[in-house]
Amino acid sequence: MDLMQPRMIQRIVDEGIAQSDMTVVLTTARTMLGFALVGALCGIVSSIFSVLASQGFGADLRDTLFAKVHSLSFGNIDRFEMGQLITRLTNDVSQDEQLVGMMLRIMLRAPLLVIGSLTMAALSSPQLTPIFIVQIPFIIIILGWVINRAYPMFGDVQGRLDQLNTVMQENLAGVRVVKAFVRAQHEIERFGKTNAGLMEITVRAARIVAVAGPAMSIALNLGVVAAIWFGGLQLSAGNLTAGQIIAFVNYLTRTAWSLIFVSMLSTRVARAQASAERTSEILESLPQVQDKPDAQGNLMPRGQVAFDHVTFSYASDGRDPVLRNLSFVTGPGQVVAILGATGFGKSSLVHLIPRFYDSTEGHVVIDGIDVRDLDKKALRSHIGVVLQESVLFTGTIRDNIRYGRPDADNADVVAAAKAAKAHDFIVALPDGYDTLLGQRGVNVSGGQKQRIAIARALLIQPAVLILDDSTSSVDVDTEARIQENLDALMWEQGNNGPPLKACFIIAQRISTVLNANKILVLDEGCIAAEGTHDELMASSSLYREIYESQLGNGVQPNA
Amino acid sequence: MPEKQRESGKASRERARSDSGGPMGHLMRPKQRAKDAPGTVVRIWGYLKRQQRALIITAALVVVSSILSVLSPYLMGHAIDALLVDNDVRKLGWLALALLGVYLSTSVISWLQTYVMAAASQQAVTDIRNDLFTELQPLSLRFFDRRTHGELMSRLTNDVENVSSVLNSGVIQLISNSLSLIGVAAMMLILNVRLAIVTLVTVPLMVSLSRWIAKRTRSGFRRRQAYLGELNSIIEESISGQRVVKAYNREDTIANEFRTVNPKLRQASTRAQIFAGTLPPLTNLVNNTGLTIVAGAGGWMAIRGLASIGDIASFVQYARRFGWPLNCIASLYSSIQSAIAGAERVFEIIDEVPELMDQLEAEALDNIEGDVVFDDVCFSYEAGVPVLKHVDLHAKPGQTIALVGPTRAGKTTIVNLLTRFYDIDSGRILIDGINIRDLKLDDLRRKLGIVLQDTYLFADTVMENIRYGLLEASDSDVIAAATLAKGSASSWPSRGPSWPTRAFSYWMKRPAVSTHAPKKSFKRLCSA
């Protein structure tokens, strides 16, 4: 509709005015009005649809990315820093979403207008068309150059945004550390530096993109001048009417505006391209730990866990292994304690059991089946893991305990809490099980957090329980009671679901491990000693050393 | 029965997140500030105003380019008249050259505008970010307990982003378009008063239309930013708790939670954008109507001899030159709404008053002897649930005091109060006879070496993490402290202190801190 306008004006000038014909003027004016209305209506409708499309796109992309991120393994996530992941899922998606919206609205309209204008111009004043043919390639080249230079810069912009996010996140998560060590000023400077870095690259990118508009304007306006000059010549020669020239210039200006608008978009395009690359990177990542197509799902684990010459390293090329050629076998019904120097090795060992990572060499075998042949979800549903840092989520205590089995009924929740010695303190709270916990469970004490986490693990009635230093904040007395409860669960025969078949405990405190069926002493990634407490006291100097340093001087531990 | 329970579980989590509730929520819900849109705009402008030189240069450039852009249709009109009336080809030639010059300079100047403005607007955005971060630091732990990390982070990124995109191009466009409008209107009036009045009739219509739509888009954008914050917090929490999510096979459940908020975001955003999106077509309509009026009335006047064809040609150009800036300003108005929505959320945090502040007369603390007294101290995290009841404690200098007791007896609380992470309800805490409320917070904390229960390490090397308490410490000091702390067996020197903590994967407990005294002993080491 917009395209018809200059033509209408041409008519008014040439026919109406030149021939002093008022009716022509009036009817043309009415037609113009009609066209304008139709044009507006279509514009609104197209705008609505483009918004629907772009928002839908954005929502779907976010959804897919989120699901994808959670399907990736620990190894993949380690590669992307947290700040990065958050930026990619929010900011980058917004960039692409906005671009889609704009492109639908304008990218369709602009080329149409341009092509339409050119056609109309050519139709009304064919003599002046050659001007266009010279201009167009110039314009395209300019646009292409700008976008090419700019988009890697925008990749950098997003990267710096990642860094900013990371600093912010660390300050939020580590707020107590920052305050305790009076590091606010240091953090502010750190943030300021990263912020300045972000600004610098954003400005540079913006300046490059700024070239596009003016450059294209020049190209187009040269055309206008040419039109006036050559058109003028033609006019005096009598080959063109004034109306035609006016129309031509009008179409040219219209084309100019459209193209300038497009060039303003080129910022967005460059930015969105960088963002699209980043989101694709996530979408295209393959989880490091994947199920085989024929993975076994039905498990009734008996609790026999074996490590067969397992070597494991966090680095993708296998250097600096934390576990070296580890082999051991534990039978069903055993409590296995893992002791050792502070450091990696112990946690890594138990991370291999639920396949949070896969071993670099060797096999982890459960009940005779290599874990690589098992379905991850099925495997994990039989393993209860209480991690070193208890992470609780926003929600009620009940929700947190029910985390692994949201449809568990209250009786089960209470039973699990009782086994973890958490029930008593929970009911002492004003809202009891319905008490709301803040993020990371900041309003319960360390010991309470750990016990809630243990209850959470127990609720899923796992066959294998892994406790990674999870009673460190619990006093010795309570810890002993929890262990009693665990022992009881182990020997429970077939009452409510599969009984606990095996238990791995990683501990710092030797009091924790005294009653274990088997103690593994790790040193430098290898098993230095293996056996019961008595056996080790007799045979391992390393074990004796640890024992002495913790409980020496004849102090008797709580039995 | 399980169905209902599950529902309430999810609902309570949503409530907790979106209300910034939590157990403190009912006590200290942030007051809904009166939405003051013009005030927010003024505040944003305040940041921009700091870049005075750049703004002045840009303004000057904009003025020049506006004048130039107003000249070109005038020149063109003259050129056409020259042809038709005088058939003067030479005059045409000169005018064409003049036109060329005008166009070239306009382009160069407009590039310069953006060049200068880019730095200014980004500096303003950077300042806003810095202020947000700086004002966040002194806020009390209660503030952070109440909010999720993701939600706060969203303000730093998503909300500031809104402001950024408007400042980048918005200011220039606003100034240049306004000037164009004025210039064009002036030219039109000079050329032909009657035609000018006819053209300007459309303006009031445009203005009221924009305002009506803008109000609706503003509330839509506010809602959008709020949902974005909520989504951000789900993302952050689930990713930082990744291990647990995987260990308990909660990937699907968490995806479902995401899917509850995501559509809400989409809906809010869609509504806001649709409203904003109606503006350009509508203003276009008003424009085109204006053009029609010009053409029609112009034709009538030309026939009556009241205007020349050249005049009409110019006027048609001017009408376009009038319409386009008006369009731009109208759509700018919409994006300004989104910037306001974002800025409001940022300023909300900046304006938050820290709960614990130094008294005006706070004393500086030089040397601590170590005499700590708790005098009839009572404290509760939440009203009605006392944690410390009339606690009396006296630690003399040189003494090592062990705090033992069952969980939730208040052990960590005593430490929290000593470091003034929270303030007590009644009683006094004295260090060397001085009430800690009379001391500067920073001084107090500097003198205390604390090892927290939940160790938190930054994504940096182990060396830097240990050095955190005393940035001037040398490498050998750091290693000495670490050796002191590591206990009997030794696996960590073999790794080397410059090993990046990331190499251990973000989540593992690192050796230097998991035994219980590195930073404390380190402080003893370096307190000379």
Side-chain angles (χ1 to χ4, degrees):
Chain A
M1 299 297 117
D2 277 349
L3 287 174
M4 300 306 288
Q5 259 189 13
R7 192 60 191 254
M8 301 282 111
I9 297 184
Q10 176 187 338
R11 218 205 289 175
I12 289 184
V13 172
D14 288 342
E15 297 167 30
I17 301 179
Q19 298 157 20
S20 294
D21 187 350
M22 195 55 204
T23 12
V24 171
V25 173
L26 277 175
T27 38
T28 322
R30 262 205 298 268
T31 330
M32 279 173 80
L33 214 58
F35 281 157
L37 273 167
V38 174
L41 214 63
C42 292
I44 292 183
V45 170
S46 89
S47 153
I48 293 181
F49 278 116
S50 77
V51 168
L52 284 173
S54 68
Q55 292 301 318
F57 164 78
D60 286 344
L61 186 58
R62 270 193 293 268
D63 202 66
T64 316
L65 275 172
F66 190 78
K68 180 73 189 198
V69 163
H70 281 286
S71 77
L72 294 175
S73 324
F74 287 9
N76 300 101
I77 308 280
D78 294 343
R79 220 170 47 81
F80 297 111
E81 262 171 30
M82 168 99 87
Q84 264 197 50
L85 279 176
I86 296 185
T87 319
R88 289 186 199 216
L89 254 70
T90 49
N91 197 274
D92 285 303
V93 172
S94 293
Q95 299 290 346
D96 290 338
E97 168 190 279
Q98 279 176 17
L99 181 74
V100 168
M102 287 203 166
M103 288 194 78
L104 284 177
R105 267 198 302 268
I106 292 148
M107 286 310 233
L108 215 53
R109 194 159 188 262
L112 277 181
L113 272 181
V114 168
I115 297 176
S117 301
L118 296 186
T119 329
M120 295 296 283
L123 282 178
S124 54
S125 334
Q127 301 91 326
L128 297 172
T129 328
I131 298 178
F132 275 150
I133 303 187
V134 176
Q135 279 183 325
I136 304 297
F138 264 124
I139 295 172
I140 297 180
I141 292 176
I142 294 173
L143 207 56
W145 179 86
V146 167
I147 293 186
N148 245 334
R149 285 291 304 274
Y151 100 82
M153 286 192 178
F154 281 116
D156 283 340
V157 168
Q158 296 302 102
R160 306 258 171 122
L161 203 57
D162 285 343
Q163 286 172 11
L164 210 68
N165 254 338
T166 305
V167 176
M168 180 76 171
Q169 203 265 342
E170 288 188 340
N171 267 268
L172 289 173
V175 63
R176 279 173 171 72
V177 176
V178 174
K179 283 194 187 312
F181 287 90
V182 196
R183 280 294 149 233
Q185 194 50 42
H186 165 72
E187 291 300 318
I188 291 175
E189 279 163 22
R190 185 173 155 218
F191 184 85
K193 260 198 286 200
T194 316
N195 205 4
L198 175 62
M199 174 178 96
E200 193 246 344
I201 191 124
T202 311
V203 170
R204 265 202 292 148
R207 284 180 172 167
I208 294 266
V209 172
V211 170
M216 300 209 306
S217 289
I218 293 185
L220 277 156
N221 288 326
L222 279 178
V224 169
V225 177
I228 299 218
W229 175 245
F230 290 117
L233 291 178
Q234 298 280 353
L235 184 59
S236 14
N239 293 337
L240 269 183
T241 64
Q244 277 176 305
I245 300 186
I246 295 177
F248 190 84
V249 168
N250 249 312
Y251 279 124
L252 258 183
T253 344
R254 196 182 288 267
T255 317
W257 282 114
S258 303
L259 281 172
I260 290 177
F261 212 79
V262 165
S263 78
M264 293 200 304
L265 265 185
S266 56
T267 323
R268 293 240 171 245
V269 170
R271 201 142 184 202
Q273 183 165 5
S275 292
E277 267 178 28
R278 287 155 53 91
T279 52
S280 303
E281 211 184 321
I282 294 185
L283 288 173
E284 284 161 16
S285 306
L286 284 177
Q288 275 181 5
V289 174
Q290 276 184 321
D291 285 333
K292 287 197 184 152
D294 55 350
Q296 298 196 23
N298 282 325
L299 304 172
M300 278 310 266
R302 284 169 289 123
Q304 184 193 58
V305 176
F307 271 50
D308 180 21
H309 296 289
V310 168
T311 302
F312 173 67
S313 134
Y314 284 106
S316 50
D317 53 4
R319 59 193 162 93
D320 287 321
V322 282
L323 294 176
R324 283 178 247 248
N325 209 5
L326 215 68
S327 294
F328 67 86
V329 177
T330 73
Q334 284 198 324
V335 172
V336 180
I338 304 176
L339 206 61
T342 53
F344 14 91
K346 300 185 304 219
S347 292
S348 318
L349 197 156
V350 294
H351 279 171
L352 293 177
I353 301 179
R355 278 192 88 194
F356 289 153
Y357 294 92
D358 271 338
S359 55
T360 320
E361 284 169 30
H363 306 275
V364 176
V365 178
I366 295 188
D367 292 336
I369 311 175
D370 189 326
V371 292
R372 281 196 163 93
D373 293 329
L374 293 173
D375 174 63
K376 273 184 296 180
K377 287 204 169 137
L379 177 65
R380 288 171 191 170
S381 64
H382 290 284
I383 302 180
V385 185
V386 185
L387 301 159
Q388 226 168 9
E389 242 175 71
S390 349
V391 177
L392 301 180
F393 292 96
T394 315
T396 64
I397 293 185
R398 182 180 288 119
D399 291 332
N400 268 284
I401 297 181
R402 272 203 301 215
Y403 200 67
R405 227 177 9 115
D407 55 356
D409 58 37
N410 222 24
D412 285 343
V413 172
V414 173
K418 282 189 174 154
K421 303 298 293 164
H423 176 75
D424 292 331
F425 81 76
I426 295 179
V427 295
L429 295 169
D431 292 323
Y433 280 89
D434 290 315
T435 311
L436 274 175
L437 297 174
Q439 185 168 7
R440 297 179 150 241
V442 289
N443 40 5
V444 284
S445 78
Q448 291 171 326
K449 255 206 281 187
Q450 285 187 327
R451 282 181 276 168
I452 294 177
I454 295 176
R456 175 171 68 191
L458 290 176
L459 186 74
I460 66 173
Q461 292 174 341
V464 177
L465 185 65
I466 298 178
L467 299 172
D468 188 349
D469 205 9
S470 23
T471 43
S472 59
S473 298
V474 177
D475 58 84
V476 177
D477 203 40
T478 314
E479 182 193 46
R481 302 250 170 73
I482 295 179
Q483 289 202 297
E484 275 169 27
N485 292 344
L486 291 180
D487 283 339
L489 282 173
M490 287 263 270
W491 296 111
E492 200 176 291
Q493 294 297 327
N495 284 347
N496 306 325
L500 191 57
K501 296 277 187 7
C503 195
F504 284 84
I505 304 184
I506 298 179
Q508 300 276 14
R509 276 190 251 172
I510 219 162
S511 55
T512 320
V513 310
L514 285 177
N515 296 320
N517 300 109
K518 181 186 287 236
I519 303 175
L520 298 172
V521 184
L522 283 189
D523 188 29
E524 299 274 334
C526 302
I527 296 184
E530 191 176 327
T532 65
H533 166 73
D534 293 325
E535 286 166 12
L536 288 175
M537 281 300 274
S539 63
S540 162
S541 59
L542 183 59
Y543 185 77
R544 269 200 300 275
E545 210 182 292
I546 299 176
Y547 182 82
E548 294 295 322
S549 71
Q550 288 198 17
L551 293 172
N553 307 326
V555 174
Q556 286 304 315
N558 251 331
Chain B
M1 176 58 161
E3 274 298 314
K4 205 159 74 142
Q5 280 181 330
R6 200 182 326 164
E7 210 39 52
S8 72
K10 202 156 71 136
S12 73
R13 291 186 59 152
E14 285 175 9
R15 177 165 55 92
R17 234 182 254 111
S18 58
D19 272 5
S20 63
M24 309 308 251
H26 66 283
L27 275 185
M28 300 180 200
R29 194 145 303 167
K31 298 181 193 45
Q32 279 294 92
R33 254 178 210 83
K35 304 288 186 193
D36 173 26
T40 313
V41 173
V42 169
R43 234 174 131 167
I44 299 177
W45 172 248
Y47 279 98
L48 202 52
K49 240 179 21 173
R50 297 183 199 174
Q51 328 299 328
Q52 278 191 347
R53 230 186 61 185
L55 280 180
I56 294 177
I57 296 180
T58 312
L61 287 173
V62 169
V63 166
V64 173
S65 76
S66 303
I67 295 177
L68 286 176
S69 70
V70 155
L71 270 181
S72 40
Y74 178 73
L75 287 174
M76 194 176 338
H78 259 273
I80 296 198
D81 276 344
L83 276 179
L84 291 177
V85 177
D86 309 327
N87 215 344
D88 185 348
V89 176
R90 271 191 78 211
K91 194 164 171 203
L92 178 72
W94 283 120
L95 282 169
L97 269 170
L99 208 53
L100 192 62
V102 166
Y103 283 141
L104 272 170
S105 14
T106 315
S107 288
V108 168
I109 290 181
S110 96
W111 176 74
L112 266 175
Q113 270 167 218
T114 320
Y115 189 88
V116 174
M117 195 61 198
S121 65
Q122 281 309 305
Q123 184 64 57
V125 169
T126 304
D127 287 344
I128 293 180
R129 282 204 187 104
N130 275 337
D131 276 356
L132 176 63
F133 191 80
T134 311
E135 296 305 319
L136 210 54
Q137 292 295 337
L139 296 178
S140 61
L141 284 185
R142 276 214 173 93
F143 174 87
F144 292 103
D145 290 347
R146 265 192 287 140
R147 287 176 163 76
T148 62
H149 301 164
E151 212 273 328
L152 285 173
M153 285 171 72
S154 180
R155 296 181 196 229
L156 179 74
T157 45
N158 300 322
D159 294 319
V160 172
E161 180 74 28
N162 280 6
V163 179
S164 170
S165 47
V166 163
L167 284 185
N168 276 341
S169 48
V171 177
I172 292 185
Q173 284 183 28
L174 198 62
I175 304 180
S176 73
N177 284 324
S178 313
L179 284 178
S180 296
L181 282 180
I182 299 176
V184 168
M187 290 301 286
M188 289 204 288
L189 284 168
I190 294 175
L191 261 185
N192 189 316
V193 181
R194 286 194 190 82
L195 261 181
I197 297 180
V198 158
T199 322
L200 291 175
V201 135
T202 55
V203 173
L205 189 61
M206 194 88 95
V207 168
S208 39
L209 195 65
S210 315
R211 287 183 63 179
W212 185 83
I213 292 186
K215 231 194 336 208
R216 276 166 184 67
T217 53
R218 189 163 56 231
S219 54
F221 280 127
R222 278 198 191 111
R223 257 199 305 274
R224 172 180 188 261
Q225 294 305 107
Y227 281 127
L228 205 52
E230 218 181 295
L231 208 66
N232 222 35
S233 92
I234 294 181
I235 293 175
E236 197 271 341
E237 201 180 23
S238 67
I239 291 184
S240 62
Q242 259 276 343
R243 301 176 297 162
V244 180
V245 171
K246 282 205 178 346
Y248 290 91
N249 282 329
R250 281 278 286 218
E251 290 101 332
D252 290 336
T253 323
I254 225 156
N256 282 340
E257 252 185 67
F258 188 82
R259 278 180 198 131
T260 327
V261 182
N262 201 9
K264 286 200 198 139
L265 170 64
R266 171 184 173 168
Q267 216 183 16
S269 194
T270 306
R271 280 196 61 181
Q273 303 271 30
I274 285 186
F275 259 112
T278 55
L279 203 54
L282 283 178
T283 46
N284 219 14
L285 174 62
V286 175
N287 244 352
N288 289 337
T289 315
L291 208 57
T292 314
I293 296 177
V294 168
W300 180 83
M301 285 196 231
I303 293 177
R304 299 261 184 295
L306 291 168
S308 70
I309 295 202
D311 278 353
I312 309 229
S314 292
F315 255 89
V316 164
Q317 282 283 299
Y318 279 129
R320 300 228 104 242
R321 302 252 168 167
F322 197 75
W324 192 263
L326 218 54
N327 258 9
C328 274
I329 294 188
S331 35
L332 250 169
Y333 205 40
S334 291
S335 28
I336 290 180
Q337 302 316 310
S338 119
I340 292 178
E344 270 167 4
R345 287 164 53 90
V346 172
F347 293 145
E348 194 186 358
I349 301 291
I350 293 182
D351 291 340
E352 188 84 22
V353 174
E355 193 186 301
L356 294 172
M357 294 207 287
D358 287 336
Q359 309 266 35
L360 287 170
E361 322 263 283
E363 297 177 38
L365 195 63
D366 292 324
N367 275 313
I368 289 193
E369 292 294 319
D371 189 290
V372 178
V373 172
F374 272 58
D375 179 19
D376 198 29
V377 169
C378 295
F379 174 73
S380 52
Y381 288 104
E382 321 162 20
V385 185
V387 177
L388 291 183
K389 305 169 215 177
H390 302 288
V391 171
D392 287 312
L393 192 114
H394 188 178
K396 302 207 175 64
Q399 286 186 329
T400 304
I401 312 286
L403 296 170
V404 295
T407 320
R408 246 322 191 182
K411 310 187 289 288
T412 311
T413 311
I414 296 228
V415 175
N416 280 346
L417 295 178
L418 196 54
T419 50
R420 270 194 95 192
F421 279 159
Y422 300 86
D423 257 345
I424 52 184
D425 294 339
S426 68
R428 304 179 302 162
I429 301 179
L430 308 172
I431 294 189
D432 287 356
I434 309 173
N435 193 327
I436 58 174
R437 274 202 204 189
D438 295 332
L439 295 171
K440 285 208 173 116
L441 271 174
D442 284 354
D443 277 348
L444 173 67
R445 291 175 185 160
R446 274 203 196 95
K447 296 292 182 217
L448 302 172
I450 307 162
V451 179
L452 301 162
Q453 210 171 19
D454 274 336
T455 51
Y456 184 84
L457 293 182
F458 294 93
D460 202 344
T461 63
V462 175
M463 176 85 86
E464 295 309 316
N465 266 285
I466 299 182
R467 215 198 298 263
Y468 200 63
L470 196 67
L471 294 176
E472 313 85 69
S474 68
D475 286 358
S476 49
D477 285 336
V478 171
I479 297 184
T483 317
L484 210 70
K486 73 170 161 24
S488 55
S490 64
S491 69
W492 100 264
S494 66
R495 301 285 163 197
S498 51
W499 203 261
T501 56
R502 256 196 80 206
F504 306 157
S505 101
Y506 205 79
W507 317 106
M508 295 178 69
K509 205 154 191 165
R510 264 69 48 154
V513 191
S514 61
T515 49
H516 296 287
K519 293 188 179 123
K520 209 178 258 163
S521 62
F522 178 73
K523 289 242 161 192
R524 269 203 295 271
L525 207 65
C526 305
S527 63

